[in-house]
mmCIF file of all heavy atoms in Angstrom:
data_model
loop_
_atom_site.group_PDB
_atom_site.id
_atom_site.type_symbol
_atom_site.label_atom_id
_atom_site.label_comp_id
_atom_site.label_asym_id
_atom_site.label_seq_id
_atom_site.Cartn_x
_atom_site.Cartn_y
_atom_site.Cartn_z
ATOM 1 N N GLU B 13 146.928 115.153 128.176
ATOM 2 C CA GLU B 13 147.708 114.295 129.071
ATOM 3 C C GLU B 13 149.188 114.653 129.041
ATOM 4 O O GLU B 13 149.863 114.599 130.083
ATOM 5 C CB GLU B 13 147.497 112.831 128.695
ATOM 6 C CG GLU B 13 146.112 112.310 129.070
ATOM 7 C CD GLU B 13 145.931 110.834 128.789
ATOM 8 O OE1 GLU B 13 146.666 110.291 127.919
ATOM 9 O OE2 GLU B 13 145.053 110.219 129.426
ATOM 10 N N LYS B 67 127.296 109.523 138.737
ATOM 11 C CA LYS B 67 128.734 109.477 138.462
ATOM 12 C C LYS B 67 129.340 110.865 138.367
ATOM 13 O O LYS B 67 130.414 111.123 138.922
ATOM 14 C CB LYS B 67 128.998 108.702 137.170
ATOM 15 C CG LYS B 67 130.481 108.609 136.825
ATOM 16 C CD LYS B 67 130.741 107.815 135.550
ATOM 17 C CE LYS B 67 132.231 107.745 135.240
ATOM 18 N NZ LYS B 67 132.509 107.005 133.987
ATOM 19 N N TYR B 73 131.654 117.150 141.045
ATOM 20 C CA TYR B 73 131.115 118.095 142.022
ATOM 21 C C TYR B 73 131.432 117.715 143.463
ATOM 22 O O TYR B 73 131.331 118.551 144.364
ATOM 23 C CB TYR B 73 129.610 118.259 141.802
ATOM 24 C CG TYR B 73 129.294 118.839 140.445
ATOM 25 C CD1 TYR B 73 128.807 118.038 139.405
ATOM 26 C CD2 TYR B 73 129.525 120.185 140.168
ATOM 27 C CE1 TYR B 73 128.549 118.563 138.149
ATOM 28 C CE2 TYR B 73 129.276 120.728 138.921
ATOM 29 C CZ TYR B 73 128.783 119.915 137.913
ATOM 30 O OH TYR B 73 128.537 120.439 136.659
ATOM 31 N N GLY B 159 124.995 123.019 150.883
ATOM 32 C CA GLY B 159 123.865 123.856 150.493
ATOM 33 C C GLY B 159 122.848 124.020 151.605
ATOM 34 O O GLY B 159 122.307 125.114 151.826
ATOM 35 N N ALA B 276 138.492 134.618 135.704
ATOM 36 C CA ALA B 276 138.387 134.993 137.114
ATOM 37 C C ALA B 276 138.498 133.756 138.004
ATOM 38 O O ALA B 276 139.138 133.794 139.062
ATOM 39 C CB ALA B 276 137.062 135.718 137.365
ATOM 40 N N VAL B 328 103.219 133.302 125.931
ATOM 41 C CA VAL B 328 102.896 134.390 126.856
ATOM 42 C C VAL B 328 101.871 135.302 126.193
ATOM 43 O O VAL B 328 102.115 135.799 125.082
ATOM 44 C CB VAL B 328 104.156 135.193 127.222
ATOM 45 C CG1 VAL B 328 103.804 136.395 128.085
ATOM 46 C CG2 VAL B 328 105.175 134.304 127.923
#
Side-chain angles (χ1 to χ4, degrees):
E13 288 184 337
K67 180 179 180 181
Y73 297 104
V328 175

